[in-house]
Amino acid sequence: MELSESKKRMLDSTGHLLAIGGPGSGKTTIALIKAAHEIEAGFLSCQQRVIFLSFARATVAQVADQASSLLDKNIRNRIELSTYHSFTWNIIKSHGYLAFGREPIKLLPPPEASARLAAIQSSGTDNALRQLLEEERLLHFDLFASKAGELLARSQKLTSLLLSPYPIIILDEFQDTNSDEWKLIKIIGQFSTLIALADPDQRIYDFRGADPKRISEYADQFTPTTFDFSDENHRSPLCDITQFGNDILSGYNRGKNYNDVNIERTGYYQDRDYNFPLKVQVLNAVKRCKQRDNRNWSIGVFVPTKALMATVSEYLSSERDGLPRLFHEVAVDANGPALAALLIASLLESSQQIAPHKVTVQYLINHMRGKKGNGNVSQSDAQLCNSLESWMHSGRIRGSKREQLLRFCKEITDVCIDRRWTGKPADDWRFVLRKLELIDLQPLVNIISDARFIRLLNKGAILNQKLGDMWQLNGNYLGASEAVSEALLQEHFSMSVVKPLGIHLMTIHKSKGKQFDEVVMSEGYRSGRYLRNEANGPSDKDILEARLILRVGATRAKSHTTILTPSGNQSCRLLI
């Protein structure tokens, strides 16, 4: 690979480093080459490794794929790829007893946490999580960094011991670190050499604590040698996609034409769904990709919100517009499917439970409260949950529809209690699904809708194997709910992510760190907009966030990006 002069200088630099650059500028590539350079030069002992930390498993998988084509196998074996969560959990797992005592701690999966915290205001979430840890020994993922930091801060000897295998630590997407992660980094930077990779214009996670001052704080704390690769583009070097991404930040894109970025204004078509133009553009992208490479192509379809993603997914899967169905993967939020899986698993083990009817109702409550995450519970769902909880204590409930829901919950639980299971987990799981599909009440319809996204019944899947082992050992499914929780946790820590091929639908936030041959982006007409409060006068903060979001989404493409916005007065003002 041909390296620029600044990248050559980075290879020869010592001490803490900071690499700044936009999408495709080669930050990850030079970081891997730098790691290989240090290993080959003998700066690490035979037991030491370089560790590369990123936020998303998909990014780690992409880096692994890049390393396999870039580095010798012996060098690759000395570079450890991990997420921040996995890194901090390993610290807690090995030495957490120093902070929490000898009594074991259980992890609280995010979907279950969403159900537990649904009624709590966001400002009180941190206190609630700490209370769950103190009173119930349940540790949420959001506390990993702070608890790992507390452990390291207590003992320099412990910190030196834990970090001695990692004399060099690469920090990917550094601009997205929150305050707890930054406190941890300040500690580990005293014992290991840090290489921070950052793009200030890809900071789209302010809601989780990312701070625009973070890069300057790193510079003040560690006085790193800084390298700016902003003028380099290796993802789409012959295209003007990166130029569009840079222009959108300043507004220079308005009225400007690009070869590889198309802005399409869409309207309503007679007898056509609003998403018809999106499907047409995806089909056009598929055609172009197949002309370039008949097999190994990928298309990212991005929308601003989860609600719009569900609508688009349903439409792409239909043939009602006369166009073919488009098979696609959906980067669906895990909360709803995970909580639906827990309810189904509880029904599998209902004959072994105490008060099984109440257990079914409790899992239904958990699904309604936690399916959307972040405490996003509708008023009607919240009221229904309160009524169901009241029934669990008093045995009384008011309202014919609520009585009907309870009756259905009792009936399906009784069916599962009396059922002679086959011992084939996939078949028994599908039996429960078929019984739920017969019920036309919205809370249970939502369970079925979310259950369609459960990808845990494939041959060899963790859950399928656990349920099978359970049956072989006991002749029943006692512990199925716990098996689901464990499977979801193992999936969260797993680094085995398949290279994306075909069509992948996701929110723009989910696209961060990924890349596709082509990208097609679309927004809603009144809701699900790129720019929040478009019609009512967006704030300066809304506009900045929308510019950053559009840049991130558009620059995921290697060869072509198509951006759809409504026509006329509804067009996104940042695109016209």
Side-chain angles (χ1 to χ4, degrees):
M1 177 182 175
E2 186 79 23
L3 296 180
S4 64
E5 289 303 316
S6 57
K7 285 179 175 163
K8 291 177 182 177
R9 288 196 301 273
M10 182 171 167
L11 289 182
D12 296 328
S13 298
T14 59
H16 300 301
L17 304 177
L18 171 62
I20 295 174
S25 60
K27 300 187 298 296
T28 301
T29 301
I30 190 58
L32 290 172
I33 295 174
K34 173 67 174 174
H37 183 271
E38 299 299 293
I39 293 168
E40 290 170 337
F43 294 131
L44 280 67
S45 72
C46 60
Q47 301 299 321
Q48 290 180 318
R49 302 181 298 281
V50 176
I51 187 167
F52 184 105
L53 300 179
S54 191
F55 285 101
R57 290 183 297 121
T59 304
V60 171
Q62 185 175 304
V63 174
D65 183 61
Q66 188 174 355
S68 66
S69 61
L70 191 66
L71 306 177
D72 176 82
K73 182 179 179 181
N74 292 328
I75 296 295
R76 291 202 308 272
N77 291 339
R78 303 282 303 279
I79 300 176
E80 184 176 329
L81 306 176
S82 180
T83 63
Y84 286 91
H85 273 155
S86 292
F87 177 70
T88 49
W89 170 238
N90 285 335
I91 294 173
I92 295 169
K93 188 167 56 173
S94 60
H95 290 82
Y97 65 91
L98 296 173
F100 312 129
R102 295 285 179 178
E103 188 179 345
I105 291 171
K106 283 189 66 177
L107 290 181
L108 181 62
E112 296 177 51
S114 294
R116 296 286 297 267
L117 303 172
I120 298 173
Q121 295 289 333
S122 58
S123 58
T125 298
D126 189 64
N127 289 334
L129 293 179
R130 293 179 186 277
Q131 188 175 351
L132 283 172
L133 178 59
E134 292 173 10
E135 297 178 0
E136 301 184 43
R137 312 293 291 174
L138 292 172
L139 178 63
H140 189 273
F141 286 66
D142 285 354
L143 293 183
F144 280 14
S146 65
K147 290 304 174 183
E150 288 172 19
L151 269 172
L152 298 186
R154 292 177 61 170
S155 169
Q156 285 200 348
K157 185 176 291 187
L158 172 63
T159 306
S160 178
L161 174 69
L162 290 173
L163 295 177
S164 60
Y166 306 116
I168 298 175
I169 298 178
I170 301 170
L171 306 168
D172 191 32
E173 305 286 5
F174 179 75
Q175 74 281 350
D176 288 332
T177 51
N178 64 26
S179 58
D180 288 331
E181 290 152 354
W182 172 229
K183 289 175 185 176
L184 176 68
I185 288 167
K186 285 194 287 187
I187 295 171
I188 66 178
Q190 299 172 39
F191 296 84
S192 302
T193 298
L194 303 179
I195 301 176
L197 314 179
D199 179 0
D201 296 325
Q202 286 197 73
R203 197 195 73 252
I204 61 173
Y205 285 104
D206 285 8
F207 62 86
R208 69 173 294 275
D211 192 317
K213 300 192 298 290
R214 189 74 68 231
I215 296 174
S216 61
E217 287 175 335
Y218 176 79
D220 292 341
Q221 181 75 26
F222 296 111
T223 58
T225 305
T226 301
F227 299 90
D228 191 339
F229 309 131
S230 298
D231 59 347
E232 298 186 38
N233 173 24
H234 303 282
R235 177 177 297 162
S236 51
L238 302 178
C239 305
D240 51 13
I241 296 171
T242 298
Q243 185 61 55
F244 170 82
N246 294 335
D247 289 347
I248 196 80
L249 294 176
S250 59
Y252 288 162
N253 63 295
R254 299 178 68 176
K256 187 174 176 181
N257 293 320
Y258 297 85
N259 294 322
D260 307 295
V261 179
N262 287 353
I263 309 297
E264 298 289 339
R265 292 168 180 78
T266 63
Y268 282 102
Y269 292 76
Q270 189 175 5
D271 300 325
R272 300 287 192 188
D273 187 282
Y274 173 73
N275 289 303
F276 175 74
L278 169 61
K279 194 171 184 180
V280 170
Q281 292 299 331
V282 175
L283 285 166
N284 290 340
V286 170
K287 184 177 180 180
R288 287 191 295 269
C289 284
K290 286 184 174 180
Q291 288 173 346
R292 288 190 294 265
D293 186 335
N294 196 39
R295 298 179 62 185
N296 298 312
W297 54 268
S298 61
I299 295 170
V301 181
F302 307 155
V303 294
T305 65
K306 296 173 187 175
L308 184 56
M309 184 175 69
T311 302
V312 168
S313 179
E314 190 275 332
Y315 186 76
L316 293 180
S317 302
S318 73
E319 292 180 319
R320 62 177 180 264
D321 53 9
L323 298 176
R325 292 177 181 169
L326 290 176
F327 175 79
H328 58 282
E329 296 288 338
V330 182
V332 67
D333 185 88
N335 287 337
L339 293 168
L342 285 167
L343 185 144
I344 295 167
S346 78
L347 288 169
L348 286 174
E349 60 177 325
S350 55
S351 63
Q352 312 296 317
Q353 294 170 336
I354 299 171
H357 303 103
K358 288 187 176 180
V359 172
T360 300
V361 172
Q362 184 60 63
Y363 277 115
L364 180 61
I365 291 170
N366 290 349
H367 181 265
M368 284 191 286
R369 282 184 170 159
K371 64 188 177 187
K372 294 182 180 178
N374 301 323
N376 294 321
V377 187
S378 69
Q379 186 175 357
S380 59
D381 277 353
Q383 291 172 348
L384 177 55
C385 288
N386 292 338
S387 295
L388 292 173
E389 282 186 332
S390 177
W391 168 82
M392 293 177 72
H393 296 296
S394 68
R396 297 188 299 273
I397 197 165
R398 298 175 61 183
S400 59
K401 286 190 176 180
R402 292 174 182 179
E403 289 175 351
Q404 186 182 24
L405 178 62
L406 282 176
R407 186 168 66 252
F408 280 135
C409 286
K410 183 178 186 303
E411 287 176 1
I412 193 168
T413 305
D414 287 339
V415 166
C416 292
I417 290 172
D418 296 336
R419 169 76 172 171
R420 297 188 64 175
W421 302 111
T422 68
K424 299 176 182 178
D427 291 345
D428 293 335
W429 189 282
R430 292 188 188 101
F431 172 84
V432 177
L433 284 176
R434 286 195 296 270
K435 290 299 177 182
L436 285 168
E437 285 171 345
L438 298 175
I439 304 171
D440 190 24
L441 278 180
Q442 197 58 50
L444 294 174
V445 169
N446 291 339
I447 293 286
I448 290 298
S449 177
D450 278 339
R452 293 194 182 103
F453 292 110
I454 299 169
R455 304 185 186 279
L456 297 172
L457 297 180
N458 298 320
K459 185 177 179 181
I462 297 171
L463 176 58
N464 200 44
Q465 182 180 340
K466 282 182 177 291
L467 294 177
D469 291 345
M470 199 177 291
W471 183 269
Q472 290 293 325
L473 187 64
N474 303 316
N476 59 49
Y477 289 120
L478 180 62
S481 302
E482 187 173 348
V484 169
S485 290
E486 290 177 3
L488 293 168
L489 284 172
Q490 288 187 40
E491 178 65 18
H492 187 92
F493 288 116
S494 171
M495 295 299 156
S496 58
V497 181
V498 179
K499 182 179 179 180
L501 294 175
I503 302 169
H504 293 257
L505 172 64
M506 64 194 70
T507 62
I508 305 176
H509 275 92
K510 281 278 188 182
S511 74
K512 184 82 175 293
K514 301 178 177 65
Q515 65 179 20
F516 301 87
D517 292 301
E518 292 212 15
V519 161
V520 182
M521 297 168 59
S522 182
E523 63 175 334
Y525 188 73
R526 297 194 184 278
S527 60
R529 305 302 305 271
Y530 301 129
L531 177 56
R532 288 182 300 179
N533 305 312
E534 174 86 63
N536 301 321
S539 66
D540 290 343
K541 185 173 183 292
D542 291 333
I543 293 172
L544 175 59
E545 288 179 357
R547 292 189 189 281
L548 293 172
I549 282 286
L550 285 165
R551 179 178 185 265
V552 166
T555 55
R556 298 307 92 200
K558 292 189 286 186
S559 60
H560 195 275
T561 293
T562 304
I563 304 177
L564 282 70
T565 186
S567 59
N569 295 332
Q570 293 296 320
S571 293
C572 177
R573 69 184 68 184
L574 303 180
L575 297 173
I576 57 174

